[in-house]
Amino acid sequence: MTYWIDEDNDSAFCLIEAPSENAVRDLHKSSHGLMPHHIIEVNRDTVASFLGRLYDPVVPGLRKEELKVFNDPAYRTLVIIDIKDPVLLKKHSSRDSVETLLQLYFDVIKEQSTFFGGEIAEHSEPVTSILCFSSSSNALSCGLEIDNAFSIEEKKVLGLKISLTSGMPVSTSDRIFGETIDNGIQLLYTSRDHKVVIGPSTDVISRTHLDKNSERLIFFTLNEEKRLNKIFYILERFSPDESFGIEDFCREVGLSKSSLNRHLHTLTKRSPNTLLKEFRLNKALRLLRKGQNISDVSFSTGFRSPSYFSKCFKEHFLLSPSKFVEDF
């Protein structure tokens, strides 16, 4: 259907309509002999929302018989924005004031993404909004303006968190921009003091732009992001096991208890116990939203019993799981 080619990063991405992965491989083999490195199944609307098109771009002045050649990189910077679940917001604040604040939030997202040339991307990830930009500097400006649009009190009520990360549409994940989105969501766990968190892959942003706004930003190095990736890989893999505890956490990370505690406090300002419990509860919230019953959710997220899960859920979210499901 079309392609994106990025000579600077030695990468090319093709959008192909085909009945199967094998058909895609056979097509490449018969047409030019080069085999695709990785194939993922995508939704057309999702592709368009991230990359802006589904077919070749118009090349001005090109005659019909001429070969259409264009250089259009697929590298994008994503602004990942998250707020508290609307059910929790409405439960702990005036319904009318929350409705007004939520409407303002979505209006600001739409207005600023349009102003800075971004797209509101379609996604299934557990975050409120993902904005997609071909310009990293524009992405940062958009993130800062969204943050500017709210008072400190409004940001506290919303639980507003913003991160920036960049990458390619296809990597090791089976979702378009999956690895980049995952990195951005992990960075949200490091958000504090209402600052925008910047991942190491956004180093194409001009130094002047970064220095000018440095007091409003939290920067992550490549090594810090790798450590964060490892921690969340372990949490994703082992947290459903109710027997997985801090000693197991230490063993998998390869650190002593005191070292892991320092490690996580530096990255996330949380203790290992707090991060593990918060990760499990956030996952549980998403599963409840998908319609799974409370008992199944409690066991699939690593809690030893539904009653203990309900106790932890209410302590963290100030609302019982049954009440959350009822109000959802």
Side-chain angles (χ1 to χ4, degrees), residues 292-328:
Q292 293 193 25
N293 70 62
I294 294 171
S295 181
D296 287 346
V297 168
S298 65
F299 290 120
S300 66
T301 52
F303 291 91
R304 63 176 179 263
S305 68
S307 59
Y308 179 61
F309 165 64
S310 295
K311 175 178 178 291
C312 294
F313 191 97
K314 188 170 184 179
E315 285 176 353
H316 186 72
F317 294 117
L318 305 180
L319 189 70
S320 69
S322 56
K323 190 61 179 171
F324 175 82
V325 171
E326 180 185 321
D327 292 345
F328 176 60

Side-chain angles (χ1 to χ4, degrees), residues 245-304:
I246 301 307
E247 289 185 3
D248 305 296
F249 205 166
C250 292
R251 184 177 62 253
E252 292 299 328
V253 178
L255 295 172
S256 67
K257 190 173 181 179
S258 58
S259 294
L260 179 61
N261 195 64
R262 288 196 302 271
H263 194 71
L264 287 183
H265 190 266
T266 299
L267 292 173
T268 69
K269 295 296 184 271
R270 293 169 175 82
S271 69
N273 257 323
T274 300
L275 182 62
L276 176 58
K277 183 176 286 188
E278 188 175 328
F279 183 85
R280 283 170 163 161
L281 288 168
N282 286 338
K283 188 173 183 179
L285 189 74
R286 299 195 297 272
L287 294 176
L288 290 175
R289 267 196 162 274
K290 290 180 179 179
Q292 293 193 25
N293 70 62
I294 294 171
S295 181
D296 287 346
V297 168
S298 65
F299 290 120
S300 66
T301 52
F303 291 91
R304 63 176 179 263

